[in-house]
Amino acid sequence: MKKLSLYVFVVLFFFNIKFVNAENIRHAYFAGGCFWCMEESFEKASGVSEVISGYSGGNLSNPTYKEVTYKNTGHFEAVKIIYDQSKINFERLLNLYWTNIDPFDAAGQFCDKGLSYRTVVFYQNNLQKQLIEKSIKNIEKKFNGKKVVTFVRKFEKFYPAENYHQDYYQENFINYLMYKKACGREEQLKRIWQ
């Protein structure tokens, strides 16, 4: 029995297998312009187990990237964040979200302009809605009354994007870096938040 226990421990340690209490798993939904960039930002956060690129906020079932980008579906490029609430909470995710977008740009984000690239925080309950509204007031106060144009919407449905969009920043690292650099995303975020 001791050998079996030791074997299991070694396997778990070697493969870095983590046990997760399913009761602690939660989902959060944000739209912040390019979902590739949102994936990268949130997947680095401790307590986040997965980030899925997709579409939310609109009226078309199972939309495609072309439909969301070029037609009036009402959807935004969004991410679904799967996280362990014992390690990171919604408020911390919300703070991370703000520092990775320009909350004052009503036309989109950075070099991505258009309806589907606007920013949205989706809430699932009244507590989340209150936290979002409080954080917006704090940002507007910090920026001397400058109006935050990020939408606050009740979450309804999330549709995963096509497979080639998932983990794009890892799977297509060079292309992603060139895109992000050309957009000036990091430079603009530093100007806003530092």
Side-chain angles (χ1 to χ4, degrees):
M1 185 66 176
K2 286 183 180 180
K3 284 184 178 182
L4 179 61
S5 297
L6 180 61
Y7 175 76
V8 169
F9 174 78
V10 169
V11 168
L12 294 175
F13 180 80
F14 182 75
F15 290 103
N16 197 22
I17 296 173
K18 299 173 186 164
F19 290 104
V20 178
N21 184 345
E23 292 177 10
N24 290 330
I25 299 303
R26 296 290 183 272
H27 301 156
Y29 302 88
F30 299 97
C34 171
F35 45 33
W36 302 338
C37 297
M38 289 284 95
E39 263 197 57
E40 180 192 20
S41 300
F42 282 106
E43 283 190 345
K44 293 177 181 176
S46 178
V48 171
S49 59
E50 186 177 4
V51 181
I52 301 167
S53 288
Y55 315 107
S56 194
N59 51 28
L60 180 66
S61 296
N62 300 307
T64 65
Y65 176 76
K66 285 184 179 179
E67 289 170 330
V68 170
T69 304
Y70 301 111
K71 293 183 179 178
N72 188 17
T73 65
H75 283 296
F76 303 88
E77 280 198 16
V79 289
K80 174 181 181 178
I81 299 162
I82 303 169
Y83 66 100
D84 183 338
Q85 72 170 354
S86 70
K87 297 178 181 176
I88 190 168
N89 60 27
F90 180 80
E91 191 170 13
R92 284 181 46 209
L93 290 171
L94 182 59
N95 291 335
L96 179 59
Y97 170 74
W98 290 125
T99 59
N100 279 281
I101 66 159
D102 177 352
F104 309 112
D105 189 345
Q109 288 292 286
F110 313 102
C111 65
D112 293 314
K113 303 299 180 188
L115 301 177
S116 63
Y117 293 109
R118 293 173 300 168
T119 56
V120 186
V121 182
F122 295 96
Y123 65 90
Q124 298 169 77
N125 55 53
N126 284 333
L127 176 59
Q128 287 182 350
K129 185 178 182 185
Q130 290 169 3
L131 289 170
I132 295 162
E133 289 169 347
K134 180 182 174 186
S135 68
I136 288 172
K137 286 179 185 174
N138 289 339
I139 291 168
E140 290 178 343
K141 184 177 178 182
K142 177 180 178 173
F143 288 90
N144 300 314
K146 192 172 183 181
K147 179 93 172 108
V148 169
V149 296
T150 298
F151 296 108
V152 177
R153 298 253 178 103
K154 182 165 179 47
F155 174 75
E156 291 183 17
K157 185 79 175 164
F158 177 84
Y159 299 96
E162 296 83 346
N163 285 338
Y164 69 89
H165 286 300
Q166 307 303 330
D167 298 315
Y168 188 89
Y169 79 98
Q170 293 173 325
E171 302 293 328
N172 299 279
F173 184 69
I174 300 300
N175 288 343
Y176 172 71
L177 284 182
M178 292 188 324
Y179 154 78
K180 196 164 82 165
K181 182 71 174 166
C183 273
R185 187 180 185 100
E186 289 181 352
E187 294 79 8
Q188 192 166 343
L189 287 173
K190 284 177 186 173
R191 282 195 300 272
I192 297 167
W193 297 107
Q194 292 182 355

